[in-house]
């Protein structure tokens, strides 16, 4: 049964086969692997993290027991901004949108009972990505797991923070240095780790179009490749470990075409612009998350259907891993019940729908091929504009990305308000007495958590050798003034039990904080 679709492909006229291309071959329009899902489905990687490390660990172990195949960690805002839970600006935010991590002990608790040589972990962390990876590697070390066996991803995409999300710390130049230091370190010491997940997801969530999502994501990717090459790295030493992260929205055919176009464009960029020789450097491997911004607080159960259709688009487009949103996420963090249903959505798609029996099943459709070409053309025009501005970093500073996204977001909202774009249950078929509006339980975070975490981190500091910590932090400070790779210094500081806020704080003092211009 699984081979039938490819047998049909072989029966097509030779010229047509050549034009359509084969999966696993440049430029990878039809997929990065020759057999795609015929042997195994995508990785089901549900994004989770809330409250304390203990609570998140329980959720991770529960999801793994239910058949999830990889972890995906959400961090709270203080962690994302390199602040300890007792920092004045952390008040009211500890554990609210993710897990609070500030020390090696927190990371050990988060990963307790999870074998890091068998489970891959994706961490949605950007400005302090190198720091969280250092903590993760130290936990692997304590488990007796060789760093060469550790697999996973740090998002580590700072440009999209300036563009669309806002959890930046440092100015662009030193931020890019942290990223290229991590590239170099992992190429040598952690070869299975994906050193960046270049994110279009947050760009789309901020209001971009599908074409803008492709263009802005690939433009950011080009900036990271150029920065790494300018730092002396060979493109084929880090190129194979680059990964991407996209949104899946509700226009199934457009979204399918978006993924196909992005793959083709990145392959050409890497081979033709940057001279990559390794075919693995040409591959655009990506994780997908269904669109959080598409979920509605009205009739939350309708979000189950929205998410299923979006997941279908991601699979038809050839994603390597997938997160499906829970139906209650317009109201709060997922409950255990809604998180399980979101995972079941993927499992039903993988094992009951039949979509895994064919590779790129919509390839050859005149409409999907037209959409693929049209999105590539629009995205290419936008990338050309960014290149004329001097690349992604210069375009960020000129607020090109931001203005484009603001305009498309405004247009989208006006279409909803004028009824030109239909949102079922919101501006059409909306019933105030709908049974789908009945009370949906919402996940609540214990308001006392902030005080508990504050006490924990203060006790952690009191129990360590303060002089040893200060020595490691001064070593990091000295290295920050040079061009030395900072990863060994981050590892040493956390080994001596420095906190995340202390480590990030040293670099704040040396590099300053980014102040956007409006």
């Amino acid at each position: 049964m699984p081979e039938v679709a490819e047998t049909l492909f072989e029966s097509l006229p030779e010229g047509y086969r050549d034009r359509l291309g084969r999966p696993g071959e440049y430029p990878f329009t039809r997929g990065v692997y020759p057999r795609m899902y015929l042997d195994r489905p995508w990785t089901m990687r549900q994004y989770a993290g809330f409250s304390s490390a203990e609570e998140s660990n329980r959720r991770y172990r529960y999801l793994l027991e239910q058949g999830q195949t990889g972890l995906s960690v959400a961090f709270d805002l203080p962690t994302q901004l390199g602040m300890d839970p007792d920092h004045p600006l952390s008040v009211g935010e500890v554990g609210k949108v993710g897990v609070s991590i500030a020390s090696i002990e927190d990371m050990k608790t988060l990963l307790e009972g999870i074998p890091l040589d068998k489970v891959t972990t994706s961490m949605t962390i950007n400005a302090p990505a190198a720091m969280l990876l250092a903590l993760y590697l130290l936990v692997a070390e304590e488990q007796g797991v060789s760093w060469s066996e550790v697999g996973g991803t740090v998002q580590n995409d700072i440009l999209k923070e300036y563009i669309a999300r806002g959890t930046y710390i440092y100015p662009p130049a030193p931020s890019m240095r942290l990223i290229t230091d991590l590239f170099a370190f992992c190429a040598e010491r952690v070869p299975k780790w994906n050193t960046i997940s270049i994110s279009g997801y947050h760009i789309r969530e901020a209001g971009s179009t599908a074409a803008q999502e492709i263009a802005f994501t690939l433009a950011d990717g080009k900036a990271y490749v150029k920065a790494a090459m300018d730092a002396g790295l060979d493109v084929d030493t880090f190129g194979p470990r680059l990964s991407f992260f996209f949104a899946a929205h509700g226009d199934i055919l457009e979204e399918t075409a978006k993924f196909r176009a992005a793959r083709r464009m990145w392959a050409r960029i890497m081979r033709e612009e940057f001279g990559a020789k390794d075919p693995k450097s040409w591959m655009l491997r990506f994780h997908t998350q269904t669109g959080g911004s598409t979920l509605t607080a009205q009739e939350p159960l309708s979000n189950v259907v929205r998410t299923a259709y979006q997941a279908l688009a991601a699979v038809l487009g050839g994603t390597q891993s997938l997160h499906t949103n829970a139906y209650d996420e317009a109201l709060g963090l997922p409950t255990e019940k809604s998180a399980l249903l979101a995972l079941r959505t993927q499992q039903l798609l993988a094992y009951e729908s039949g979509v895994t029996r064919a590779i790129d099943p919509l390839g050859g459709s005149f409409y999907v091929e037209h959409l693929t070409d049209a999105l590539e053309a629009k995205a290419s025009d936008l990338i050309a504009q960014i290149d004329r501005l001097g690349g992604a970093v210069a375009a960020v500073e000129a607020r090109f990305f931001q203005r484009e996204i603001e305009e498309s977001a405004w247009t989208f909202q006006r279409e909803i308000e004028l009824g030109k774009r239909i949102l079922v249950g919101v501006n059409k078929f909306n019933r105030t007495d709908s049974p789908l509006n009945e009370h949906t339980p919402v996940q609540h975070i214990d308001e006392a958590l902030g005080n508990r975490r504050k006490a924990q981190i203060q006790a952690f500091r009191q129990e360590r050798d303060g002089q040893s910590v200060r020595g490691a932090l001064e070593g990091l400070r000295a290295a920050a003034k040079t061009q030395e790779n900072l990863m060994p210094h981050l590892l040493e500081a956390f080994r001596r039990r420095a906190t995340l806020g202390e480590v990030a704080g040293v670099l704040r003092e040396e590099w300053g904080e980014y102040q956007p211009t409006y």
Side-chain angles (χ1 to χ4, degrees):
M1 177 81 73
E3 274 69 33
V4 169
E6 289 312 290
T7 302
L8 291 172
F9 177 75
E10 294 298 335
S11 70
L12 295 171
E14 185 175 347
Y16 189 82
R17 291 202 308 269
D18 292 342
R19 182 161 59 86
L20 189 57
R22 295 174 184 274
E25 294 182 5
Y26 180 89
F28 307 106
T29 308
R30 302 191 59 220
V32 292
Y33 301 123
R35 290 177 59 82
M36 289 303 291
Y37 309 133
L38 296 184
D39 299 316
R40 61 182 293 271
W42 58 92
T43 300
M44 298 177 193
R45 193 185 299 282
Q46 290 297 110
Y47 183 51
F50 62 98
S51 185
S52 63
E54 293 88 349
E55 286 294 317
S56 292
N57 176 264
R58 279 193 282 273
R59 175 64 62 83
Y60 296 151
R61 293 170 74 166
Y62 170 76
L63 289 170
L64 290 169
E65 288 165 4
Q66 303 307 312
Q68 180 173 303
T69 52
L71 297 180
S72 185
V73 183
F75 296 97
D76 70 358
L77 284 175
T79 305
Q80 293 181 49
L81 292 168
M83 295 175 181
D84 290 336
D86 61 345
H87 191 286
L89 293 179
S90 297
V91 174
E93 292 295 343
V94 176
K96 287 294 179 69
V97 297
V99 61
S100 171
I101 299 293
S103 71
I104 181 63
E105 293 302 321
D106 294 337
M107 188 64 85
K108 284 165 63 176
T109 301
L110 182 72
L111 301 170
E112 184 179 354
I114 297 170
L116 300 189
D117 56 343
K118 294 182 173 61
V119 174
T120 61
T121 303
S122 173
M123 296 191 284
T124 302
I125 195 72
N126 295 284
M131 302 165 208
L132 271 295
L133 177 58
L135 288 169
Y136 190 90
L137 292 175
L138 292 176
V139 173
E141 194 172 83
E142 290 202 16
Q143 287 188 4
V145 175
S146 168
W147 292 352
S148 63
E149 295 304 310
V150 173
T153 306
V154 274
Q155 192 163 96
N156 199 27
D157 177 2
I158 199 62
L159 290 176
K160 68 95 175 47
E161 296 296 330
Y162 303 127
I163 293 168
R165 194 162 174 267
T167 59
Y168 41 73
I169 301 176
Y170 313 112
S175 294
M176 295 293 276
R177 174 191 170 178
L178 274 176
I179 290 169
T180 56
D181 280 359
L182 192 148
F183 283 6
F185 180 84
C186 288
E188 182 178 344
R189 304 288 303 279
V190 200
K192 293 184 179 180
W193 195 265
N194 297 317
T195 52
I196 195 168
S197 178
I198 304 160
S199 178
Y201 178 83
H202 303 94
I203 289 169
R204 190 67 179 277
E205 289 290 279
S208 80
T209 65
Q212 288 171 336
E213 182 186 1
I214 298 170
F216 298 168
T217 307
L218 299 192
D220 286 351
K222 287 176 59 173
Y224 295 127
V225 172
K226 185 177 185 303
M229 293 177 72
D230 289 347
L233 300 180
D234 180 84
V235 66
D236 286 320
T237 64
F238 65 87
R241 302 317 302 174
L242 302 178
S243 64
F244 290 79
F245 176 25
F246 290 106
H249 280 212
D251 188 327
I252 293 175
L253 299 180
E254 181 181 62
E255 293 297 292
T256 300
K258 178 186 77 180
F259 300 127
R260 300 173 88 247
R263 259 196 307 271
R264 188 160 73 196
M265 291 176 68
W266 186 247
R268 291 172 177 160
I269 287 168
M270 288 297 279
R271 191 170 85 164
E272 296 171 14
E273 290 190 35
F274 293 112
K277 301 291 192 296
D278 186 344
K280 291 181 180 178
S281 297
W282 308 335
M283 294 179 182
L284 184 142
R285 297 169 301 111
F286 64 96
H287 170 72
T288 309
Q289 181 173 337
T290 56
S293 64
T294 70
L295 302 179
T296 63
Q298 300 92 331
E299 297 192 348
L301 287 175
S302 296
N303 293 328
V304 176
V305 184
R306 286 189 179 93
T307 295
Y309 288 149
Q310 293 166 6
L312 175 61
V315 170
L316 292 174
T319 192
Q320 276 62 71
S321 70
L322 178 61
H323 165 94
T324 35
N325 288 326
Y327 66 85
D328 52 359
E329 289 191 55
L331 304 172
L333 293 173
T335 62
E336 188 172 290
K337 176 182 175 181
S338 68
L340 178 58
L341 183 57
L343 176 60
R344 289 287 185 262
T345 302
Q346 293 204 50
Q347 291 167 334
L348 287 163
L349 185 58
Y351 298 107
E352 293 190 18
S353 72
V355 294
T356 59
R357 293 180 192 151
I359 303 167
D360 185 33
L362 298 185
S365 154
F366 75 90
Y367 185 58
V368 169
E369 296 298 341
H370 160 74
L371 284 175
T372 303
D373 292 343
L375 284 168
E376 180 178 9
K378 290 178 183 176
S380 295
D381 285 346
L382 285 165
I383 290 175
Q385 290 183 58
I386 295 163
D387 287 344
R388 287 194 292 272
L389 288 169
V393 175
V396 165
E397 292 170 344
R399 300 201 78 253
F400 172 79
F401 295 107
Q402 298 93 315
R403 286 196 302 272
E404 290 286 313
I405 293 170
E406 287 162 4
E407 180 67 27
S408 62
W410 183 85
T411 299
F412 184 92
Q413 184 61 33
R414 286 293 293 159
E415 288 174 353
I416 292 171
E417 292 170 0
L418 296 172
K420 294 179 179 179
R421 183 182 295 269
I422 302 302
L423 287 186
V424 172
V426 178
N427 64 355
K428 195 172 181 66
F429 312 115
N430 47 330
R431 291 173 46 191
T432 56
D433 63 341
S434 171
L436 298 179
N437 274 325
E438 292 177 2
H439 177 66
T440 300
V442 177
Q443 176 86 263
H444 290 288
I445 304 301
D446 184 357
E447 292 297 330
L449 174 67
N451 288 332
R452 289 202 304 274
R453 290 289 295 132
K454 183 176 179 179
Q456 283 176 344
I457 200 66
Q458 290 173 351
F460 175 83
R461 292 195 196 100
Q462 289 172 359
E463 293 166 1
R464 66 192 184 177
D465 181 344
Q467 185 174 350
S468 176
V469 173
R470 286 190 292 274
L473 292 174
E474 287 310 308
L476 173 63
R477 186 187 305 278
K481 300 176 189 293
T482 72
Q483 294 306 306
E484 187 179 351
N485 192 303
L486 294 181
M487 278 299 295
H489 295 278
L490 298 176
L491 285 157
E492 184 61 20
F494 289 125
R495 271 199 187 95
R496 296 198 199 180
R497 303 175 75 77
T499 69
L500 175 66
E502 290 166 339
V503 170
V506 165
L507 298 182
R508 272 188 167 94
E509 291 167 8
E510 292 304 313
W511 295 341
E513 293 185 340
Y514 177 67
Q515 301 296 329
T517 55
Y518 297 100

